[in-house]
Amino acid sequence: MSEKLLQLLDRQGWVLADGATGTNLFNMGLQSGDPPEFWNVDKPDLIEKLYRGAVDAGSDLFLTNSFGANASRLKLHNAQDRVRELSKAAAEIGREVADSQSRPVIVAGSMGPTGEIMGEVGTLTHEVAVEMFEEQAAALIEGGADVLWVETISAAEEMAAAADAISNVGASWCGTMSFDTAGRTMLGVTSADMVKFIDGLDYQPLGFGANCGTGASDLLRTVLGFVEAGAKLPIIAKGNAGIPKYVHGHIHYDGTPELMADYAILARNCGARIIGGCCGTTPEHLVKMREALD
């Protein structure tokens, strides 16, 4: 499964990932507080539209609608027994979209954080976290994901648990953490810390980097931090489309398609090889990003 992504990187030099999942689903009618993963079964036509929007805009890789499809997150909706069903469905829809294209398109199985705290101050043990991640990882691979994509992680302990889980199912993976304006994750990990941590993993990812955060410019600073720390693997940059603002009852991101096109070039120049958008990034942004990178 790793060959598709590595071959594309070798041939093209860079890969354009997708944009936001949540933003685009809210634009389709998802309500705040509703689990988007339910739509994989209840509204599969809209999830197909989500994926096709990214692919038609030029993305080489898109993430499945499974960010919160682990037992811990689904328990908030009394759906902890639906991990396999919802994750597998997310990947199956993605597989159909990717296989319908005339060019290689990579389906990345999204795996978000559990929402629980690990380590000395937390209550989630490594063993339980591995069990949660492994259940979701197996379902995503069963559904047809090419690679697993662990994203928006704040703690090294949680990334380590995900790596162990993915190792157990024998899948290829990528991992990203979310950094704030102080250059650290919510739990204090710096870009240099992440490089050292990734280097020390027994089960290495295909690539690693940063997603979300507080805007494209701060994310680029983190990318430069990865390079300065001697990152050996392909770096991922998936920044938000500007800064969120509350406008007329809705969250609006102020980054224009032209701004995100500039960000894509800057990300590549800073050292990133897998480049995409996160919150606020729509197909309109991706079109300009693709044009700029090409």
Side-chain angles (χ1 to χ4, degrees):
M1 289 184 292
S2 64
E3 290 183 1
K4 291 176 68 174
L5 178 55
L6 295 178
Q7 286 173 356
L8 191 56
L9 280 171
D10 286 342
R11 182 170 67 251
Q12 196 166 268
W14 49 270
V15 164
L16 179 64
D18 62 355
T21 295
T23 299
N24 290 299
L25 291 182
F26 282 128
N27 290 342
M28 294 181 194
L30 182 71
Q31 298 299 303
S32 180
D34 290 344
E37 294 79 14
F38 283 13
W39 278 22
N40 298 335
V41 173
D42 299 338
K43 298 183 179 183
D45 55 325
L46 293 183
I47 301 306
E48 179 182 350
K49 180 181 178 182
L50 169 73
Y51 297 162
R52 287 195 184 279
V55 174
D56 291 346
S59 293
D60 301 302
L61 175 153
F62 65 86
L63 274 57
T64 58
N65 179 43
S66 52
F67 179 83
N70 60 63
S72 179
R73 296 286 290 267
L74 288 176
K75 187 176 182 180
L76 300 174
H77 307 281
N78 296 314
Q80 60 269 30
D81 59 344
R82 298 185 67 187
V83 173
R84 177 176 177 271
E85 174 197 8
L86 297 173
S87 297
K88 181 170 176 282
E92 286 175 337
I93 299 168
R95 186 75 268 145
E96 291 180 7
V97 171
D99 289 346
S100 70
Q101 305 302 308
S102 60
R103 60 186 175 90
V105 174
I106 296 159
V107 181
S110 173
M111 299 172 61
T114 63
E116 300 185 41
I117 303 296
M118 297 182 66
E120 296 180 0
V121 298
T123 57
L124 180 64
T125 66
H126 179 83
E127 292 74 19
V128 173
V130 169
E131 184 179 333
M132 286 184 188
F133 283 126
E134 185 172 343
E135 180 183 23
Q136 185 182 17
L140 288 166
I141 293 300
E142 183 184 0
D146 294 306
V147 62
L148 299 178
W149 194 279
V150 183
E151 58 172 327
T152 325
I153 302 297
S154 296
E157 295 89 347
E158 191 161 28
M159 185 75 82
D164 285 350
I166 295 168
S167 173
N168 291 342
V169 300
S172 303
W173 70 291
C174 294
T176 61
M177 302 183 95
S178 182
F179 299 80
D180 62 20
T181 52
R184 297 174 179 268
T185 71
M186 183 174 64
L187 292 176
V189 180
T190 66
S191 53
D193 292 336
M194 187 177 186
V195 171
K196 184 177 180 181
F197 164 73
I198 292 292
D199 283 347
L201 284 175
D202 292 331
Y203 196 69
Q204 289 279 292
L206 299 179
F208 76 95
N211 77 294
C212 204
T214 53
S217 58
D218 277 322
L219 188 135
L220 293 178
R221 180 179 64 175
T222 299
V223 170
L224 290 171
F226 294 145
V227 173
E228 185 177 355
K232 301 179 183 68
L233 299 172
I235 294 172
I236 300 165
K238 221 166 179 285
N240 291 345
I243 304 297
K245 297 179 180 179
Y246 196 68
V247 181
H248 302 304
H250 299 280
I251 298 296
H252 173 72
Y253 285 80
D254 62 5
T256 63
E258 290 73 23
L259 180 146
M260 290 303 283
D262 289 343
Y263 146 77
I265 296 301
L266 286 167
R268 187 171 65 184
N269 291 347
C270 287
R273 297 186 64 199
I274 302 174
I275 301 161
C278 203
C279 301
T281 309
T282 67
E284 288 73 23
H285 294 92
L286 293 171
V287 166
K288 292 299 184 181
M289 293 168 70
R290 181 77 204 202
E291 289 176 356
L293 288 168
D294 281 340

